[in-house]
Amino acid sequence: MGGALALTLGALAYPAMLGLDTVSTTPDRVIANTQWGPLTEGERDFVVKVRAAGLWEHPLGQIGLQKGQSKAVKIASQHLVDGHAALDTSCRKIAPMLNITLPNVASPQQEGFVTQLKGESGKQFDVDFANILRMTHGSIFNTIAKVRSTTKNTLIRALANQANDTVLDHITVMEKTGLVDFDTTVFNQTTPPKLPKSDMTPPNPVPGQPQVVLNPPPNPTSTPLDLNAP
């Protein structure tokens, strides 16, 4: 499994949310002073990337509920839909408060993962589903911690808290499938190839296009940010 998986993931040029490390040219530069604290370029990109992650992982969770062969993959799929619906609601709440434009489509790289998994079935789907998503979530985990530990903006801090809990949950359920190749995952997380910025950046929304909403499951267990909480 390891050799085939390494080839598959290598051909896809490595996933999703690593773009966080490369989108900002000056991530610490303050781009706005708000009533919730200063907003940096990197923090703005963090909100955009959390939104973009949901735009591919939420529908992929819905696909997993239909195509997953094992109970563990179906459970992991439920967690994707549930967690990213709540995160998306939070992003859509705080983005206008911070004057952040959110994408309606994930990055080309992220969309490539959806296309690949849509074309797979059976055990191959389960294996690639678990490994791709374990790798993408593992890649963002340290970035969330950095944002959480350095931000002076209370809205960004609250979103980072929620993202941390959600990503840790998703890492855990992917590992519980028993399908994760840890050697390949760790290798790809620590030695990602260099990709063009355009491959890792979600496109700007089309003017006048309705904002995409990621709907929660019938009985959600994840909760969006309560901005009225003390």
Side-chain angles (χ1 to χ4, degrees):
M1 182 181 77
L5 177 66
L7 179 61
T8 302
L9 297 181
L12 284 165
Y14 202 60
M17 297 177 74
L18 283 178
L20 274 173
D21 292 336
T22 56
V23 169
S24 294
T25 53
T26 51
D28 297 329
R29 180 175 67 92
V30 174
I31 58 174
N33 286 297
T34 77
Q35 68 185 84
W36 302 279
L39 178 72
T40 67
E41 188 175 338
E43 291 163 358
R44 176 200 60 197
D45 292 341
F46 173 66
V47 178
V48 169
K49 289 297 183 178
V50 171
R51 161 74 167 174
L55 290 171
W56 76 280
E57 292 179 21
H58 182 279
L60 197 51
Q62 294 174 320
I63 293 169
L65 287 171
Q66 299 299 317
K67 297 177 69 171
Q69 298 295 294
S70 72
K71 181 179 179 181
V73 166
K74 289 184 179 293
I75 290 172
S77 299
Q78 291 171 341
H79 282 240
L80 284 181
V81 173
D82 185 82
H84 280 292
L87 270 178
D88 186 69
T89 300
S90 298
C91 286
R92 288 184 290 103
K93 280 182 179 181
I94 72 170
M97 299 168 72
L98 297 173
N99 198 29
I100 296 173
T101 300
L102 294 177
N104 261 343
V105 180
S107 73
Q109 192 182 36
Q110 293 165 329
E111 290 295 311
F113 281 101
V114 178
T115 299
Q116 180 204 350
L117 288 164
K118 277 183 176 179
E120 295 182 351
S121 59
K123 183 64 178 287
Q124 188 66 52
F125 174 87
D126 281 14
V127 169
D128 285 348
F129 176 93
N131 280 276
I132 288 171
L133 287 159
R134 171 58 180 82
M135 186 164 55
T136 55
H137 285 85
S139 299
I140 188 63
F141 203 41
N142 289 338
T143 302
I144 295 171
K146 182 178 179 181
V147 170
R148 174 60 182 84
S149 65
T150 60
T151 185
K152 299 176 184 178
N153 187 292
T154 57
L155 294 180
I156 297 296
R157 190 176 303 131
L159 181 64
N161 284 340
Q162 184 186 358
N164 183 78
D165 292 345
T166 302
V167 168
L168 179 56
D169 173 68
H170 292 175
I171 285 173
T172 303
V173 292
M174 294 307 158
E175 292 172 349
K176 285 183 177 179
T177 65
L179 300 172
V180 174
D181 179 340
F182 286 96
D183 288 340
T184 302
T185 295
V186 172
F187 175 80
N188 284 318
Q189 282 181 197
T190 54
T191 55
K194 302 296 183 183
L195 294 176
K197 179 179 175 181
S198 58
D199 286 358
M200 299 184 293
T201 307
N204 290 324
V206 176
Q209 184 182 54
Q211 190 175 54
V212 172
V213 174
L214 305 182
N215 294 316
N219 298 299
T221 58
S222 298
T223 347
L225 295 178
D226 181 2
L227 300 181
N228 297 316

